[in-house]
mmCIF file of all heavy atoms in Angstrom:
data_model
loop_
_atom_site.group_PDB
_atom_site.id
_atom_site.type_symbol
_atom_site.label_atom_id
_atom_site.label_comp_id
_atom_site.label_asym_id
_atom_site.label_seq_id
_atom_site.Cartn_x
_atom_site.Cartn_y
_atom_site.Cartn_z
ATOM 1 N N SER I 513 145.758 105.743 118.253
ATOM 2 C CA SER I 513 144.672 105.416 117.348
ATOM 3 C C SER I 513 143.861 104.134 117.491
ATOM 4 O O SER I 513 143.117 103.917 116.721
ATOM 5 C CB SER I 513 145.240 105.504 115.910
ATOM 6 O OG SER I 513 146.266 104.457 115.735
ATOM 7 N N GLY I 514 144.275 103.453 118.581
ATOM 8 C CA GLY I 514 143.486 102.240 118.963
ATOM 9 C C GLY I 514 143.682 101.954 120.400
ATOM 10 O O GLY I 514 144.805 102.307 121.039
ATOM 11 N N LEU I 515 142.831 101.198 120.943
ATOM 12 C CA LEU I 515 142.769 100.777 122.323
ATOM 13 C C LEU I 515 142.422 99.334 122.457
ATOM 14 O O LEU I 515 141.422 98.926 122.056
ATOM 15 C CB LEU I 515 141.691 101.519 123.262
ATOM 16 C CG LEU I 515 142.003 103.128 123.175
ATOM 17 C CD1 LEU I 515 140.814 103.634 123.914
ATOM 18 C CD2 LEU I 515 143.306 103.400 124.081
ATOM 19 N N PRO I 516 143.244 98.480 123.123
ATOM 20 C CA PRO I 516 142.853 97.169 123.440
ATOM 21 C C PRO I 516 141.743 97.170 124.391
ATOM 22 O O PRO I 516 141.555 98.014 125.348
ATOM 23 C CB PRO I 516 144.056 96.498 124.043
ATOM 24 C CG PRO I 516 145.213 97.328 123.684
ATOM 25 C CD PRO I 516 144.616 98.729 123.454
ATOM 26 N N VAL I 517 140.681 96.276 124.208
ATOM 27 C CA VAL I 517 139.645 96.174 125.075
ATOM 28 C C VAL I 517 139.840 95.018 126.080
ATOM 29 O O VAL I 517 139.872 93.937 125.675
ATOM 30 C CB VAL I 517 138.356 96.023 124.391
ATOM 31 C CG1 VAL I 517 137.132 96.061 125.256
ATOM 32 C CG2 VAL I 517 138.116 97.265 123.362
ATOM 33 N N ILE I 518 139.776 95.317 127.481
ATOM 34 C CA ILE I 518 140.028 94.193 128.403
ATOM 35 C C ILE I 518 138.814 93.848 129.217
ATOM 36 O O ILE I 518 138.151 94.730 129.726
ATOM 37 C CB ILE I 518 141.210 94.691 129.277
ATOM 38 C CG1 ILE I 518 142.336 95.191 128.574
ATOM 39 C CG2 ILE I 518 141.538 93.613 130.314
ATOM 40 C CD1 ILE I 518 142.964 94.099 127.704
ATOM 41 N N ASP I 519 138.472 92.633 129.438
ATOM 42 C CA ASP I 519 137.242 92.152 130.053
ATOM 43 C C ASP I 519 137.579 92.153 131.545
ATOM 44 O O ASP I 519 138.639 92.487 132.052
ATOM 45 C CB ASP I 519 136.758 90.761 129.605
ATOM 46 C CG ASP I 519 137.720 89.774 129.730
ATOM 47 O OD1 ASP I 519 138.675 89.831 130.658
ATOM 48 O OD2 ASP I 519 137.504 88.633 129.226
ATOM 49 N N ASP I 520 136.488 91.727 132.396
ATOM 50 C CA ASP I 520 136.712 91.711 133.860
ATOM 51 C C ASP I 520 137.789 90.775 134.382
ATOM 52 O O ASP I 520 138.249 90.983 135.505
ATOM 53 C CB ASP I 520 135.353 91.425 134.514
ATOM 54 C CG ASP I 520 134.306 92.555 134.240
ATOM 55 O OD1 ASP I 520 134.735 93.620 133.996
ATOM 56 O OD2 ASP I 520 133.201 92.178 134.279
ATOM 57 N N HIS I 521 138.350 89.824 133.399
ATOM 58 C CA HIS I 521 139.322 88.892 133.901
ATOM 59 C C HIS I 521 140.640 89.247 133.470
ATOM 60 O O HIS I 521 141.510 88.508 133.568
ATOM 61 C CB HIS I 521 138.895 87.564 133.442
ATOM 62 C CG HIS I 521 137.552 86.915 133.807
ATOM 63 N ND1 HIS I 521 137.341 86.561 135.127
ATOM 64 C CD2 HIS I 521 136.328 86.896 133.268
ATOM 65 C CE1 HIS I 521 135.952 86.191 135.218
ATOM 66 N NE2 HIS I 521 135.440 86.414 134.066
ATOM 67 N N GLY I 522 140.750 90.507 132.781
ATOM 68 C CA GLY I 522 142.012 90.903 132.363
ATOM 69 C C GLY I 522 142.483 90.420 131.080
ATOM 70 O O GLY I 522 143.625 90.607 130.677
ATOM 71 N N ARG I 523 141.553 89.764 130.288
ATOM 72 C CA ARG I 523 141.863 89.208 129.060
ATOM 73 C C ARG I 523 141.348 90.073 127.894
ATOM 74 O O ARG I 523 140.478 90.920 128.025
ATOM 75 C CB ARG I 523 141.085 87.901 128.865
ATOM 76 C CG ARG I 523 141.614 86.774 129.773
ATOM 77 C CD ARG I 523 140.835 85.595 129.639
ATOM 78 N NE ARG I 523 139.425 85.744 130.050
ATOM 79 C CZ ARG I 523 138.557 84.753 130.504
ATOM 80 N NH1 ARG I 523 139.009 83.504 130.667
ATOM 81 N NH2 ARG I 523 137.356 85.023 130.760
ATOM 82 N N VAL I 524 142.174 90.147 126.792
ATOM 83 C CA VAL I 524 141.772 90.808 125.563
ATOM 84 C C VAL I 524 140.636 90.261 124.921
ATOM 85 O O VAL I 524 140.592 89.235 124.497
ATOM 86 C CB VAL I 524 142.950 90.915 124.649
ATOM 87 C CG1 VAL I 524 142.647 91.738 123.317
ATOM 88 C CG2 VAL I 524 144.171 91.569 125.332
ATOM 89 N N CYS I 525 139.535 91.111 124.878
ATOM 90 C CA CYS I 525 138.229 90.568 124.252
ATOM 91 C C CYS I 525 137.834 91.399 123.032
ATOM 92 O O CYS I 525 136.994 91.082 122.282
ATOM 93 C CB CYS I 525 137.145 90.728 125.268
ATOM 94 S SG CYS I 525 136.699 92.304 125.819
ATOM 95 N N GLY I 526 138.697 92.262 122.586
ATOM 96 C CA GLY I 526 138.613 93.076 121.477
ATOM 97 C C GLY I 526 139.474 94.287 121.339
ATOM 98 O O GLY I 526 140.443 94.414 122.098
ATOM 99 N N ILE I 527 139.327 95.024 120.211
ATOM 100 C CA ILE I 527 140.159 96.312 119.986
ATOM 101 C C ILE I 527 139.302 97.207 119.343
ATOM 102 O O ILE I 527 138.485 96.946 118.519
ATOM 103 C CB ILE I 527 141.388 95.966 119.222
ATOM 104 C CG1 ILE I 527 142.405 97.074 119.201
ATOM 105 C CG2 ILE I 527 141.098 95.640 117.752
ATOM 106 C CD1 ILE I 527 143.827 96.607 118.860
ATOM 107 N N VAL I 528 139.322 98.472 119.675
ATOM 108 C CA VAL I 528 138.622 99.633 119.165
ATOM 109 C C VAL I 528 139.609 100.570 118.491
ATOM 110 O O VAL I 528 140.591 101.028 119.145
ATOM 111 C CB VAL I 528 137.635 100.235 120.290
ATOM 112 C CG1 VAL I 528 138.452 100.885 121.425
ATOM 113 C CG2 VAL I 528 136.870 101.389 119.450
ATOM 114 N N THR I 529 139.429 100.931 117.303
ATOM 115 C CA THR I 529 140.310 101.768 116.530
ATOM 116 C C THR I 529 139.603 102.903 115.890
ATOM 117 O O THR I 529 138.386 102.992 115.980
ATOM 118 C CB THR I 529 141.047 101.041 115.400
ATOM 119 O OG1 THR I 529 140.028 100.703 114.383
ATOM 120 C CG2 THR I 529 141.612 99.802 116.010
ATOM 121 N N GLU I 530 140.369 103.891 115.373
ATOM 122 C CA GLU I 530 139.797 105.125 114.592
ATOM 123 C C GLU I 530 138.908 104.558 113.409
ATOM 124 O O GLU I 530 137.775 105.120 113.232
ATOM 125 C CB GLU I 530 140.944 105.963 114.126
ATOM 126 C CG GLU I 530 141.829 106.712 115.105
ATOM 127 C CD GLU I 530 143.012 107.264 114.519
ATOM 128 O OE1 GLU I 530 143.386 106.994 113.500
ATOM 129 O OE2 GLU I 530 143.431 108.234 115.213
ATOM 130 N N GLY I 531 139.271 103.506 112.822
ATOM 131 C CA GLY I 531 138.546 103.042 111.739
ATOM 132 C C GLY I 531 137.189 102.476 112.113
ATOM 133 O O GLY I 531 136.248 102.585 111.385
ATOM 134 N N ASP I 532 136.944 102.122 113.319
ATOM 135 C CA ASP I 532 135.684 101.606 113.799
ATOM 136 C C ASP I 532 134.803 102.765 114.069
ATOM 137 O O ASP I 532 133.508 102.593 114.212
ATOM 138 C CB ASP I 532 135.811 100.896 115.142
ATOM 139 C CG ASP I 532 136.600 99.578 115.037
ATOM 140 O OD1 ASP I 532 136.395 98.824 113.949
ATOM 141 O OD2 ASP I 532 137.441 99.266 115.967
ATOM 142 N N LEU I 533 135.260 103.996 114.029
ATOM 143 C CA LEU I 533 134.440 105.124 114.378
ATOM 144 C C LEU I 533 134.237 106.054 113.178
ATOM 145 O O LEU I 533 133.403 107.006 113.322
ATOM 146 C CB LEU I 533 135.214 106.014 115.448
ATOM 147 C CG LEU I 533 135.498 105.295 116.735
ATOM 148 C CD1 LEU I 533 136.659 106.011 117.617
ATOM 149 C CD2 LEU I 533 134.243 105.278 117.622
ATOM 150 N N LEU I 534 134.665 105.718 112.000
ATOM 151 C CA LEU I 534 134.545 106.589 110.957
ATOM 152 C C LEU I 534 133.055 106.730 110.409
ATOM 153 O O LEU I 534 132.689 107.663 109.781
ATOM 154 C CB LEU I 534 135.427 106.116 109.793
ATOM 155 C CG LEU I 534 136.831 106.271 110.019
ATOM 156 C CD1 LEU I 534 137.816 105.826 108.960
ATOM 157 C CD2 LEU I 534 137.430 107.610 110.450
ATOM 158 N N LEU I 535 132.325 105.743 110.669
ATOM 159 C CA LEU I 535 130.957 105.739 110.113
ATOM 160 C C LEU I 535 129.919 106.046 111.137
ATOM 161 O O LEU I 535 128.724 105.710 111.030
ATOM 162 C CB LEU I 535 130.559 104.409 109.470
ATOM 163 C CG LEU I 535 131.513 104.085 108.208
ATOM 164 C CD1 LEU I 535 130.913 102.759 107.720
ATOM 165 C CD2 LEU I 535 131.371 105.165 107.153
ATOM 166 N N ARG I 536 130.266 106.664 112.372
ATOM 167 C CA ARG I 536 129.437 107.012 113.260
ATOM 168 C C ARG I 536 128.387 107.989 113.023
ATOM 169 O O ARG I 536 128.504 108.900 112.098
ATOM 170 C CB ARG I 536 130.261 107.635 114.604
ATOM 171 C CG ARG I 536 131.211 106.634 115.238
ATOM 172 C CD ARG I 536 130.333 105.577 116.088
ATOM 173 N NE ARG I 536 129.501 106.210 117.109
ATOM 174 C CZ ARG I 536 128.677 105.566 117.942
ATOM 175 N NH1 ARG I 536 128.526 104.219 117.814
ATOM 176 N NH2 ARG I 536 128.054 106.157 118.823
ATOM 177 N N ARG I 537 127.220 107.896 113.697
ATOM 178 C CA ARG I 537 126.050 108.707 113.372
ATOM 179 C C ARG I 537 126.348 110.200 113.754
ATOM 180 O O ARG I 537 125.821 111.249 113.088
ATOM 181 C CB ARG I 537 124.849 108.343 114.167
ATOM 182 C CG ARG I 537 124.947 108.306 115.664
ATOM 183 C CD ARG I 537 123.737 107.904 116.429
ATOM 184 N NE ARG I 537 123.920 107.752 117.892
ATOM 185 C CZ ARG I 537 123.957 108.706 118.685
ATOM 186 N NH1 ARG I 537 123.694 110.014 118.201
ATOM 187 N NH2 ARG I 537 124.117 108.625 119.918
ATOM 188 N N GLU I 538 127.260 110.390 114.713
ATOM 189 C CA GLU I 538 127.752 111.806 115.040
ATOM 190 C C GLU I 538 128.245 112.569 113.931
ATOM 191 O O GLU I 538 128.297 113.828 113.983
ATOM 192 C CB GLU I 538 128.624 111.746 116.241
ATOM 193 C CG GLU I 538 127.997 111.237 117.526
ATOM 194 C CD GLU I 538 128.178 109.746 117.715
ATOM 195 O OE1 GLU I 538 128.479 109.248 116.780
ATOM 196 O OE2 GLU I 538 127.831 109.264 118.849
ATOM 197 N N VAL I 539 128.788 112.049 112.914
ATOM 198 C CA VAL I 539 129.538 112.711 111.832
ATOM 199 C C VAL I 539 128.631 112.672 110.549
ATOM 200 O O VAL I 539 129.119 113.120 109.544
ATOM 201 C CB VAL I 539 130.907 112.091 111.474
ATOM 202 C CG1 VAL I 539 131.892 112.264 112.716
ATOM 203 C CG2 VAL I 539 130.957 110.659 110.993
ATOM 204 N N ARG I 540 127.385 112.185 110.774
ATOM 205 C CA ARG I 540 126.562 112.012 109.495
ATOM 206 C C ARG I 540 125.465 113.172 109.702
ATOM 207 O O ARG I 540 124.747 113.106 110.641
ATOM 208 C CB ARG I 540 125.880 110.651 109.492
ATOM 209 C CG ARG I 540 125.198 110.406 108.245
ATOM 210 C CD ARG I 540 124.870 108.988 108.011
ATOM 211 N NE ARG I 540 123.998 108.401 109.073
ATOM 212 C CZ ARG I 540 124.365 107.414 109.928
ATOM 213 N NH1 ARG I 540 125.478 106.959 109.831
ATOM 214 N NH2 ARG I 540 123.507 107.049 110.929
ATOM 215 N N PHE I 541 125.506 114.072 108.741
ATOM 216 C CA PHE I 541 124.567 115.338 108.973
ATOM 217 C C PHE I 541 123.158 114.983 108.526
ATOM 218 O O PHE I 541 122.209 115.769 109.000
ATOM 219 C CB PHE I 541 125.124 116.453 108.063
ATOM 220 C CG PHE I 541 126.472 116.921 108.551
ATOM 221 C CD1 PHE I 541 127.629 116.564 107.836
ATOM 222 C CD2 PHE I 541 126.657 117.627 109.663
ATOM 223 C CE1 PHE I 541 128.903 116.963 108.352
ATOM 224 C CE2 PHE I 541 127.900 118.168 110.205
ATOM 225 C CZ PHE I 541 129.031 117.758 109.516
ATOM 226 N N ALA I 542 122.881 114.072 107.749
ATOM 227 C CA ALA I 542 121.479 113.757 107.430
ATOM 228 C C ALA I 542 121.327 112.259 107.567
ATOM 229 O O ALA I 542 122.203 111.368 107.359
ATOM 230 C CB ALA I 542 121.324 114.116 105.941
ATOM 231 N N PRO I 543 120.192 111.797 108.027
ATOM 232 C CA PRO I 543 119.783 110.410 108.335
ATOM 233 C C PRO I 543 119.785 109.629 106.965
ATOM 234 O O PRO I 543 119.390 110.285 105.889
ATOM 235 C CB PRO I 543 118.453 110.460 108.866
ATOM 236 C CG PRO I 543 117.766 111.711 108.584
ATOM 237 C CD PRO I 543 118.943 112.725 108.417
ATOM 238 N N ARG I 544 120.206 108.370 107.012
ATOM 239 C CA ARG I 544 120.034 107.573 105.774
ATOM 240 C C ARG I 544 118.675 107.281 105.577
ATOM 241 O O ARG I 544 117.791 107.087 106.362
ATOM 242 C CB ARG I 544 120.861 106.358 106.026
ATOM 243 C CG ARG I 544 122.390 106.475 106.021
ATOM 244 C CD ARG I 544 123.190 105.242 106.239
ATOM 245 N NE ARG I 544 124.541 105.498 106.310
ATOM 246 C CZ ARG I 544 125.515 104.590 106.695
ATOM 247 N NH1 ARG I 544 125.079 103.393 107.188
ATOM 248 N NH2 ARG I 544 126.728 104.910 106.531
#
């Protein structure tokens, strides 16, 4: 449910999780 994000130097620069994807435009049927 989540992936560490690694930069070109092998360091952790972030993390992406299911929670970061819940408000994506792909699941919104009508524009705001």
